[in-house]
Each structure stands twice: as structure tokens, then as C-alpha cells.
Amino acid sequence: MPSIVIAQGGGPTAVINQTLCGAILAARRHDPSLQILGARHGVRGLTADNVVDLTAVPEADLHRLGNTPSSALGSTRDKPDPGTCSDILAALDRLDARAFVYIGGNDTAGTLELLRQQSSGPCHFVHAPKTIDNDLMENDHVPGFISAAAFVANALVSIDLDFRAMPGIHVAIVMGRHAGFLTAAAAGWQQSPDDAPHLIYTPEQPFSVPRFLDEVEAVYARLGRCIVSMSEGVQDEMGRPLTEALAGGAVERDAHGNLQLTGGDLGIEIQKALKSRFRKARARVDTLGYLPRGYIGVIDETDRKEAFAAGEFAAQSALTGSGSVVLHYDGDRIEPQLVPLERVAGKTRHMPDDFFAGSSAVSAEGRGYFRRLLPTRPDIFLPFV
């Protein structure tokens, strides 16, 4: 029986299962003769024939699944080499696959482009977007980002309220390897220069520990507190991730060559620097870690709907050709479109230069972008401090 195969790759998000469910339901509607198969743990499951039949999953269960964070099919960060690509294509051929929809980030798109280039069969390859990093080319923003950004914004507002009551310095280490969108997102809720985050450090701008300490001191002297949002992927003046510089080169990398960042290690070093400079201040560094990317308590409704629509569009597109689904913004509304895989595969979208105001602040244009995406800021009234 001809099939459409769906898999999930890379890190989970709060809404990646919405994309899965959208793809399943769209495939059912557009070609009821297709068997719908899910590959467990991405391409690793394909090569092991580890698949699950999704054809007859009740729609009510799919909607429950869509509202559940994490990757329901399991995930992987495997990077196929030419030999593995041959194994994957052979597995797709055994399943009589007419389409392979792979939900993930730029590395996932890269895998699909490799498969497309090597394939000589009838199978189409479609990438459905997902990442909290918001770093996929051609997209206005990416499913999964808004929910994670809302978590970060809520966290930093909450920390700011805490430190208004008990003055001090706080640094939040936020996920973001090459792009600072998630770290900078809370700037969308700033209403005055006194609102957190007071300083923002992303991978796009060179980071200097001495300059960081000077900037913290200036804010702390002015407000009696300083709330900092810092990407785990901040880089030194030589372009090296600070984590790598601090480790003296003793680092690990994943199958795609990505540095294995650990915000905990960075946080320890930043904590040491703060304690050395501000011996009497209340100073704390917290690593938000994986919490923002799939937090069940903060799942944005717009994010849900857009992730579902991306899955629907991916399945529809997969029946006619290959490509990468992107979220396009026309100045008024968001709609999914299909672009060639090579325009997304393995590429990283960085925060635009005009989103920055210096090395540690977000410009009005940048704040406007985040404000457009974030939900309404909580109503805050704290008049006595």
C-alpha cells in the first residue's frame, strides 16, 4: 500500500505535535488511500523499520496529542552520511513511500536535501519547520518559538519583580546556539528603560566579560538591580563560543558538528565573575535550560494554530513535490508557503543588524518584532518600590 511517512527531528517543542497532527489529518483528507506511517526517533527509526501506523488514530486522540509537548514519535540528531542515506531511501522504498515529511530545524532540512539529491524514486521530501531558536531562513518566525519566547518573557518579568523587592543582580542563561531571538524576546515586553531585561547578550554580538561587568555595574548603580538575559551561545571577540573559550578547547560536538553547549558551565563562570566584582550584592545566575522549549504551562494559542497549519500544508505539498514549508508574513497575516529545500537546509538565520541597539540592547524595531509575536504582557502594578 502506498504511504506517507512522517518523522520528527531535533529538540522537542511545546507545539511540534500540532504539526504532526496537522500532517496526519491533511493526508487523510487529501488521499484516503495512503497509509500514514510514523518513524520512531527520526531517520534512525526508518533504517531500523521502527515505524508505527498512524492511519486510523482517532481524531479526538490526535487533538489531545497535539496539545501535548515533546516529540510524540521520538527524535534524533543523527546526521546521515551517503551510506546512511542509501539505507534511508531503501527503507522508504520498502514502505512504498510517496512522501517523507520530516518535522525539524535546519539540520533536519539538510537531511531531506541530501535524500532528495540521492533519490531516483517517486518519493517527495518535505520539511515542516520547528525550532525554539527561530533561526530558519525564509521564515518570519518558526513554530515553537512563540511559546518558548512567552516562557522567557514571563520568567524575566517575574525575576524583575523579585529583584525590585530585594535588590540585586540576576543573569538568566537562555538557549540559543547561533541566534539570539529567544534571549532577546523579552525585550518585546519592555515599556520603559527600567523594565527587564536591562542587558541582553546574544551570539550575534561579541561578548567581553570585563565590558559585561562594567555594564552590569552601571545599571545596578542606577536602579539598585540588574536583570540580564544571556544566550548560552555568546561568543568572545575571537568568534569562539564563550563556553568553548572557558573550557580551553575541551568540548564535545554532536553529529552535525554543533558544540555541545551547557548553560550550567557558562553560568558557573558568570557567577564567579559577578561574585568577584560585586562581593556584597545579591547576585544569582540561573540556567533556564530545556524548560522554555516544551513547558506545558506556557503554550501559546497562536503557536498551536500555526504549527498545525504548517503540518497540514506540509502534507498537502508532499503529495505534489519537495520543499521546505515556511511561515511567510505579508505585513498583515501569516501563511505557510513552500520554498526549495536548499534555501533552508543547513543555513542559520541570525537576528538582523537593525534589531540591535549596541552590543547589549534591542532596538525599537527589534522590540516591535517581538511585541507582534508575544501574547499580551501581564498587567503589573507595583507602585511602592
Side-chain angles (χ1 to χ4, degrees), residues 205-226:
Q205 300 291 324
F207 181 84
S208 159
V209 173
R211 187 181 70 240
F212 157 71
L213 294 172
D214 288 344
E215 291 176 338
V216 168
E217 185 170 21
V219 174
Y220 185 54
R222 182 171 65 86
L223 297 177
R225 71 187 192 285
C226 181

Side-chain angles (χ1 to χ4, degrees), residues 65-77:
L65 178 64
N67 289 328
T68 304
S70 181
S71 299
L73 292 172
S75 189
T76 182
R77 293 194 185 276

Side-chain angles (χ1 to χ4, degrees), residues 28 54 62 98 126 133 144 174 225 235 275 294 320 331 351 364-365 367 371 381:
R28 286 181 184 175
L54 306 171
L62 288 178
R98 304 304 166 86
V126 172
D133 289 343
V174 182
R225 71 187 192 285
Q235 301 183 13
K275 285 296 186 183
T320 57
M351 280 180 57
E365 184 160 354
R367 290 196 301 274
R371 191 172 296 119
F381 184 63

